[in-house]
């Protein structure tokens, strides 16, 4: 190959790389990751819980695992609620380098693993909000954005904020309550998480860390004392869900397995929810799948390698703790006695649980 050809190919490669890494300013994101190639991302946000809101935090994750300078970076919160929508509510200025563990936590004084103390209580509003992680470029950029706190960033009412012209957006997410989209607004096409029923979620998290997506069907535990159902995890890896592989049968019973990576010493929670209350349930566990028709659905191999007779509680739920280790994968499924179903049974989906060494 001639030197001229090599130069041409190099130029094309560099042009392509620059295009990939270019800021996303002046463009709406339309529900996608604002900048998937950015070195840091929003990873977990806890904004509402029982009692006094003293556990609120925003967690940033460095997915490249290399030192990253946070100078001139900011976390912005734009109101999405009703008449105040578009107002820049908060502008938090970051500085220094990302910690070596890859997590940077800004939040309330009482939050664990805190890197930036924002004050004691009531830092984030409990209604539709738009969160941005941006690079303002320099101190003048930081000052220009900070001066806009309390003002409307969407003066043209086109659901596009002036943030896109003031900074490079590295990441963003909108957390919404039941008023969206009737009266509340998500700006700039940010990915949307929520509502939790008709309520604002207590907190949102990626299923594991970035590049995992935001979990859409589970939210952090509103009970800040129990912190059990899906625990908040500032400064450490997020809760991970084991793979749902489907095969659900009749009824609304669903199975989830979530918690830590199931290596030795770790544990995860098995949850069946949406089942009949106070009902007998069979828990089927097998290392292989060989589907067997049953009562309008399909089961794992039956009889299975392991069959446990259990029961749901008064809320139609069943929980159990699974220890890590074993070094094998197993498939879990539940069958619940349910008189409301045509053939008297509800069948959950199947979850593959990877037990690592």
């Amino acid at each position: 190959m001639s030197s001229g050809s090599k130069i041409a190919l190099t130029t094309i490669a560099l042009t392509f790389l620059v295009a990939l890494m270019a800021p996303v300013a002046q463009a709406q994101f339309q529900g996608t990751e604002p900048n998937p190639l950015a070195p840091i991302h929003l990873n977990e946000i806890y904004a509402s819980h029982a009692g006094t809101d003293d556990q609120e935090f925003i967690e940033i994750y460095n997915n490249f695992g290399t030192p990253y300078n946070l100078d001139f970076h900011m976390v912005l919160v734009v109101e999405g609620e009703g008449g105040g929508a578009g107002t820049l509510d908060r502008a938090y200025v970051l500085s220094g380098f990302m910690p070596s563990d890859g997590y940077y936590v800004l939040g309330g004084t009482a939050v664990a693993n805190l890197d930036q103390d924002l004050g004691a209580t009531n830092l984030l509003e409990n209604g539709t909000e738009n969160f941005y992680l941006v690079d303002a470029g320099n101190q003048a950029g930081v000052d220009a954005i900070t001066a806009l706190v309390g003002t409307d960033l969407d003066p043209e009412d086109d659901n596009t904020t002036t943030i896109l012209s003031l900074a490079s957006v590295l990441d963003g997410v909108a957390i919404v309550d039941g008023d969206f989209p009737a009266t509340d607004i998500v700006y700039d096409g940010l990915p949307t998480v929520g509502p939790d029923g008709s309520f604002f979620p207590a907190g949102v998290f990626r299923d594991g860390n970035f590049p995992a997506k935001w979990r859409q069907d589970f939210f952090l535990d509103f009970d800040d004392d129990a912190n059990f159902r899906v625990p908040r995890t500032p400064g450490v890896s997020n809760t991970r869900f084991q793979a749902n592989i489907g095969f659900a049968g009749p009824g609304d019973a669903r199975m989830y397995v979530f918690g830590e990576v199931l290596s030795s010493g770790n544990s995860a929670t098995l949850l069946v929810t949406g089942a009949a209350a106070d009902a007998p349930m069979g828990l089927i566990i097998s290392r292989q799948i060989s589907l067997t028709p049953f009562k309008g659905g399909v089961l794992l191999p039956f009889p299975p390698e392991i069959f446990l007779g259990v029961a749901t509680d008064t809320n139609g739920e069943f929980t159990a703790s699974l220890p890590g280790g074993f070094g094998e994968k197993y498939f879990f499924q539940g069958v619940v006695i349910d008189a409301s179903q045509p053939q008297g049974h509800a069948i959950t989906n199947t979850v593959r649980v990877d037990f690592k060494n």
Side-chain angles (χ1 to χ4, degrees), residues 179-201:
D179 295 327
F180 174 80
T183 59
D184 293 354
I185 298 175
V186 168
Y187 287 96
D188 302 316
L190 292 178
T192 300
V193 186
D196 183 1
S198 61
F199 298 100
F200 182 74

PDB file of all heavy atoms in Angstrom, residues 179-201:
ATOM      1  N   ASP A 179     -48.225  11.795  36.531  1.00  0.00           N
ATOM      2  CA  ASP A 179     -48.733  12.931  35.764  1.00  0.00           C
ATOM      3  C   ASP A 179     -48.105  13.047  34.375  1.00  0.00           C
ATOM      4  O   ASP A 179     -48.543  13.872  33.567  1.00  0.00           O
ATOM      5  CB  ASP A 179     -48.487  14.235  36.528  1.00  0.00           C
ATOM      6  CG  ASP A 179     -49.278  14.301  37.818  1.00  0.00           C
ATOM      7  OD1 ASP A 179     -50.384  13.750  37.847  1.00  0.00           O
ATOM      8  OD2 ASP A 179     -48.782  14.900  38.786  1.00  0.00           O
ATOM      9  N   PHE A 180     -47.087  12.251  34.127  1.00  0.00           N
ATOM     10  CA  PHE A 180     -46.470  12.252  32.794  1.00  0.00           C
ATOM     11  C   PHE A 180     -47.205  11.240  31.918  1.00  0.00           C
ATOM     12  O   PHE A 180     -47.487  10.132  32.352  1.00  0.00           O
ATOM     13  CB  PHE A 180     -44.991  11.875  32.900  1.00  0.00           C
ATOM     14  CG  PHE A 180     -44.311  11.705  31.567  1.00  0.00           C
ATOM     15  CD1 PHE A 180     -43.885  12.807  30.854  1.00  0.00           C
ATOM     16  CD2 PHE A 180     -44.114  10.441  31.026  1.00  0.00           C
ATOM     17  CE1 PHE A 180     -43.266  12.656  29.606  1.00  0.00           C
ATOM     18  CE2 PHE A 180     -43.502  10.276  29.793  1.00  0.00           C
ATOM     19  CZ  PHE A 180     -43.079  11.396  29.095  1.00  0.00           C
ATOM     20  N   PRO A 181     -47.523  11.580  30.682  1.00  0.00           N
ATOM     21  CA  PRO A 181     -47.221  12.814  29.943  1.00  0.00           C
ATOM     22  C   PRO A 181     -48.357  13.840  29.945  1.00  0.00           C
ATOM     23  O   PRO A 181     -48.288  14.815  29.210  1.00  0.00           O
ATOM     24  CB  PRO A 181     -46.997  12.295  28.540  1.00  0.00           C
ATOM     25  CG  PRO A 181     -47.983  11.166  28.420  1.00  0.00           C
ATOM     26  CD  PRO A 181     -48.043  10.521  29.788  1.00  0.00           C
ATOM     27  N   ALA A 182     -49.394  13.632  30.758  1.00  0.00           N
ATOM     28  CA  ALA A 182     -50.567  14.518  30.699  1.00  0.00           C
ATOM     29  C   ALA A 182     -50.202  15.967  31.011  1.00  0.00           C
ATOM     30  O   ALA A 182     -50.557  16.882  30.254  1.00  0.00           O
ATOM     31  CB  ALA A 182     -51.639  14.014  31.672  1.00  0.00           C
ATOM     32  N   THR A 183     -49.471  16.176  32.124  1.00  0.00           N
ATOM     33  CA  THR A 183     -49.135  17.556  32.503  1.00  0.00           C
ATOM     34  C   THR A 183     -47.639  17.769  32.704  1.00  0.00           C
ATOM     35  O   THR A 183     -47.192  18.910  32.751  1.00  0.00           O
ATOM     36  CB  THR A 183     -49.858  17.954  33.804  1.00  0.00           C
ATOM     37  OG1 THR A 183     -49.470  17.061  34.855  1.00  0.00           O
ATOM     38  CG2 THR A 183     -51.366  17.887  33.622  1.00  0.00           C
ATOM     39  N   ASP A 184     -46.885  16.698  32.836  1.00  0.00           N
ATOM     40  CA  ASP A 184     -45.446  16.804  33.081  1.00  0.00           C
ATOM     41  C   ASP A 184     -44.659  16.646  31.784  1.00  0.00           C
ATOM     42  O   ASP A 184     -45.161  16.073  30.809  1.00  0.00           O
ATOM     43  CB  ASP A 184     -44.988  15.750  34.089  1.00  0.00           C
ATOM     44  CG  ASP A 184     -45.569  15.996  35.473  1.00  0.00           C
ATOM     45  OD1 ASP A 184     -46.228  17.032  35.658  1.00  0.00           O
ATOM     46  OD2 ASP A 184     -45.371  15.148  36.354  1.00  0.00           O
ATOM     47  N   ILE A 185     -43.396  17.105  31.803  1.00  0.00           N
ATOM     48  CA  ILE A 185     -42.602  17.158  30.577  1.00  0.00           C
ATOM     49  C   ILE A 185     -41.240  16.507  30.788  1.00  0.00           C
ATOM     50  O   ILE A 185     -40.570  16.755  31.794  1.00  0.00           O
ATOM     51  CB  ILE A 185     -42.404  18.612  30.101  1.00  0.00           C
ATOM     52  CG1 ILE A 185     -43.763  19.251  29.779  1.00  0.00           C
ATOM     53  CG2 ILE A 185     -41.495  18.668  28.874  1.00  0.00           C
ATOM     54  CD1 ILE A 185     -43.663  20.718  29.422  1.00  0.00           C
ATOM     55  N   VAL A 186     -40.840  15.685  29.822  1.00  0.00           N
ATOM     56  CA  VAL A 186     -39.469  15.191  29.711  1.00  0.00           C
ATOM     57  C   VAL A 186     -38.789  15.994  28.614  1.00  0.00           C
ATOM     58  O   VAL A 186     -39.324  16.121  27.509  1.00  0.00           O
ATOM     59  CB  VAL A 186     -39.438  13.686  29.384  1.00  0.00           C
ATOM     60  CG1 VAL A 186     -38.040  13.248  28.972  1.00  0.00           C
ATOM     61  CG2 VAL A 186     -39.922  12.876  30.579  1.00  0.00           C
ATOM     62  N   TYR A 187     -37.617  16.519  28.911  1.00  0.00           N
ATOM     63  CA  TYR A 187     -36.935  17.414  27.975  1.00  0.00           C
ATOM     64  C   TYR A 187     -35.856  16.691  27.173  1.00  0.00           C
ATOM     65  O   TYR A 187     -35.259  15.705  27.625  1.00  0.00           O
ATOM     66  CB  TYR A 187     -36.321  18.592  28.733  1.00  0.00           C
ATOM     67  CG  TYR A 187     -37.376  19.560  29.202  1.00  0.00           C
ATOM     68  CD1 TYR A 187     -37.880  19.486  30.495  1.00  0.00           C
ATOM     69  CD2 TYR A 187     -37.915  20.518  28.346  1.00  0.00           C
ATOM     70  CE1 TYR A 187     -38.875  20.347  30.924  1.00  0.00           C
ATOM     71  CE2 TYR A 187     -38.917  21.380  28.765  1.00  0.00           C
ATOM     72  CZ  TYR A 187     -39.385  21.292  30.048  1.00  0.00           C
ATOM     73  OH  TYR A 187     -40.377  22.136  30.460  1.00  0.00           O
ATOM     74  N   ASP A 188     -35.636  17.209  25.965  1.00  0.00           N
ATOM     75  CA  ASP A 188     -34.515  16.812  25.114  1.00  0.00           C
ATOM     76  C   ASP A 188     -34.531  15.334  24.743  1.00  0.00           C
ATOM     77  O   ASP A 188     -33.497  14.768  24.393  1.00  0.00           O
ATOM     78  CB  ASP A 188     -33.188  17.164  25.793  1.00  0.00           C
ATOM     79  CG  ASP A 188     -33.084  18.656  26.094  1.00  0.00           C
ATOM     80  OD1 ASP A 188     -33.444  19.460  25.218  1.00  0.00           O
ATOM     81  OD2 ASP A 188     -32.671  19.011  27.216  1.00  0.00           O
ATOM     82  N   GLY A 189     -35.689  14.688  24.853  1.00  0.00           N
ATOM     83  CA  GLY A 189     -35.780  13.283  24.465  1.00  0.00           C
ATOM     84  C   GLY A 189     -35.025  12.348  25.375  1.00  0.00           C
ATOM     85  O   GLY A 189     -34.615  11.260  24.948  1.00  0.00           O
ATOM     86  N   LEU A 190     -34.815  12.725  26.630  1.00  0.00           N
ATOM     87  CA  LEU A 190     -34.075  11.871  27.549  1.00  0.00           C
ATOM     88  C   LEU A 190     -34.763  10.528  27.737  1.00  0.00           C
ATOM     89  O   LEU A 190     -35.998  10.441  27.676  1.00  0.00           O
ATOM     90  CB  LEU A 190     -33.942  12.554  28.917  1.00  0.00           C
ATOM     91  CG  LEU A 190     -33.067  13.800  29.009  1.00  0.00           C
ATOM     92  CD1 LEU A 190     -33.103  14.349  30.427  1.00  0.00           C
ATOM     93  CD2 LEU A 190     -31.641  13.503  28.590  1.00  0.00           C
ATOM     94  N   PRO A 191     -34.012   9.469  28.011  1.00  0.00           N
ATOM     95  CA  PRO A 191     -34.647   8.203  28.390  1.00  0.00           C
ATOM     96  C   PRO A 191     -35.481   8.406  29.647  1.00  0.00           C
ATOM     97  O   PRO A 191     -35.091   9.168  30.546  1.00  0.00           O
ATOM     98  CB  PRO A 191     -33.468   7.262  28.628  1.00  0.00           C
ATOM     99  CG  PRO A 191     -32.282   8.140  28.790  1.00  0.00           C
ATOM    100  CD  PRO A 191     -32.543   9.381  28.022  1.00  0.00           C
ATOM    101  N   THR A 192     -36.614   7.737  29.731  1.00  0.00           N
ATOM    102  CA  THR A 192     -37.589   7.954  30.799  1.00  0.00           C
ATOM    103  C   THR A 192     -37.721   6.708  31.659  1.00  0.00           C
ATOM    104  O   THR A 192     -37.832   5.590  31.134  1.00  0.00           O
ATOM    105  CB  THR A 192     -38.950   8.323  30.194  1.00  0.00           C
ATOM    106  OG1 THR A 192     -38.802   9.511  29.420  1.00  0.00           O
ATOM    107  CG2 THR A 192     -39.982   8.546  31.267  1.00  0.00           C
ATOM    108  N   VAL A 193     -37.723   6.891  32.986  1.00  0.00           N
ATOM    109  CA  VAL A 193     -37.921   5.787  33.918  1.00  0.00           C
ATOM    110  C   VAL A 193     -39.067   6.156  34.853  1.00  0.00           C
ATOM    111  O   VAL A 193     -39.120   7.265  35.379  1.00  0.00           O
ATOM    112  CB  VAL A 193     -36.649   5.501  34.736  1.00  0.00           C
ATOM    113  CG1 VAL A 193     -36.848   4.250  35.590  1.00  0.00           C
ATOM    114  CG2 VAL A 193     -35.441   5.324  33.832  1.00  0.00           C
ATOM    115  N   GLY A 194     -39.991   5.226  35.073  1.00  0.00           N
ATOM    116  CA  GLY A 194     -41.152   5.470  35.913  1.00  0.00           C
ATOM    117  C   GLY A 194     -42.405   5.589  35.051  1.00  0.00           C
ATOM    118  O   GLY A 194     -42.342   5.475  33.830  1.00  0.00           O
ATOM    119  N   PRO A 195     -43.562   5.822  35.708  1.00  0.00           N
ATOM    120  CA  PRO A 195     -43.744   5.936  37.155  1.00  0.00           C
ATOM    121  C   PRO A 195     -43.758   4.581  37.847  1.00  0.00           C
ATOM    122  O   PRO A 195     -43.736   3.537  37.193  1.00  0.00           O
ATOM    123  CB  PRO A 195     -45.107   6.618  37.265  1.00  0.00           C
ATOM    124  CG  PRO A 195     -45.848   6.132  36.057  1.00  0.00           C
ATOM    125  CD  PRO A 195     -44.816   6.017  34.968  1.00  0.00           C
ATOM    126  N   ASP A 196     -43.829   4.605  39.170  1.00  0.00           N
ATOM    127  CA  ASP A 196     -44.007   3.405  39.974  1.00  0.00           C
ATOM    128  C   ASP A 196     -45.483   3.346  40.332  1.00  0.00           C
ATOM    129  O   ASP A 196     -45.918   3.954  41.301  1.00  0.00           O
ATOM    130  CB  ASP A 196     -43.130   3.490  41.215  1.00  0.00           C
ATOM    131  CG  ASP A 196     -43.200   2.228  42.074  1.00  0.00           C
ATOM    132  OD1 ASP A 196     -43.915   1.291  41.682  1.00  0.00           O
ATOM    133  OD2 ASP A 196     -42.553   2.186  43.142  1.00  0.00           O
ATOM    134  N   GLY A 197     -46.252   2.638  39.505  1.00  0.00           N
ATOM    135  CA  GLY A 197     -47.704   2.740  39.596  1.00  0.00           C
ATOM    136  C   GLY A 197     -48.086   4.128  39.139  1.00  0.00           C
ATOM    137  O   GLY A 197     -47.816   4.512  38.010  1.00  0.00           O
ATOM    138  N   SER A 198     -48.669   4.918  40.033  1.00  0.00           N
ATOM    139  CA  SER A 198     -48.965   6.311  39.709  1.00  0.00           C
ATOM    140  C   SER A 198     -48.016   7.256  40.437  1.00  0.00           C
ATOM    141  O   SER A 198     -48.192   8.475  40.390  1.00  0.00           O
ATOM    142  CB  SER A 198     -50.417   6.650  40.091  1.00  0.00           C
ATOM    143  OG  SER A 198     -50.619   6.473  41.488  1.00  0.00           O
ATOM    144  N   PHE A 199     -47.007   6.689  41.099  1.00  0.00           N
ATOM    145  CA  PHE A 199     -46.143   7.486  41.963  1.00  0.00           C
ATOM    146  C   PHE A 199     -44.768   7.723  41.346  1.00  0.00           C
ATOM    147  O   PHE A 199     -44.334   7.020  40.421  1.00  0.00           O
ATOM    148  CB  PHE A 199     -45.976   6.798  43.329  1.00  0.00           C
ATOM    149  CG  PHE A 199     -47.251   6.649  44.088  1.00  0.00           C
ATOM    150  CD1 PHE A 199     -47.930   5.437  44.103  1.00  0.00           C
ATOM    151  CD2 PHE A 199     -47.793   7.722  44.787  1.00  0.00           C
ATOM    152  CE1 PHE A 199     -49.114   5.292  44.800  1.00  0.00           C
ATOM    153  CE2 PHE A 199     -48.974   7.585  45.492  1.00  0.00           C
ATOM    154  CZ  PHE A 199     -49.643   6.374  45.500  1.00  0.00           C
ATOM    155  N   PHE A 200     -44.083   8.705  41.897  1.00  0.00           N
ATOM    156  CA  PHE A 200     -42.688   8.954  41.567  1.00  0.00           C
ATOM    157  C   PHE A 200     -41.848   7.831  42.180  1.00  0.00           C
ATOM    158  O   PHE A 200     -41.996   7.523  43.367  1.00  0.00           O
ATOM    159  CB  PHE A 200     -42.291  10.309  42.156  1.00  0.00           C
ATOM    160  CG  PHE A 200     -40.891  10.750  41.856  1.00  0.00           C
ATOM    161  CD1 PHE A 200     -40.550  11.210  40.596  1.00  0.00           C
ATOM    162  CD2 PHE A 200     -39.922  10.726  42.839  1.00  0.00           C
ATOM    163  CE1 PHE A 200     -39.268  11.646  40.319  1.00  0.00           C
ATOM    164  CE2 PHE A 200     -38.634  11.159  42.585  1.00  0.00           C
ATOM    165  CZ  PHE A 200     -38.297  11.615  41.315  1.00  0.00           C
ATOM    166  N   PRO A 201     -40.966   7.185  41.428  1.00  0.00           N
ATOM    167  CA  PRO A 201     -40.156   6.103  42.006  1.00  0.00           C
ATOM    168  C   PRO A 201     -39.280   6.610  43.149  1.00  0.00           C
ATOM    169  O   PRO A 201     -38.769   7.737  43.109  1.00  0.00           O
ATOM    170  CB  PRO A 201     -39.298   5.650  40.824  1.00  0.00           C
ATOM    171  CG  PRO A 201     -40.043   6.079  39.603  1.00  0.00           C
ATOM    172  CD  PRO A 201     -40.721   7.362  39.989  1.00  0.00           C
TER     173      PRO A 201
END
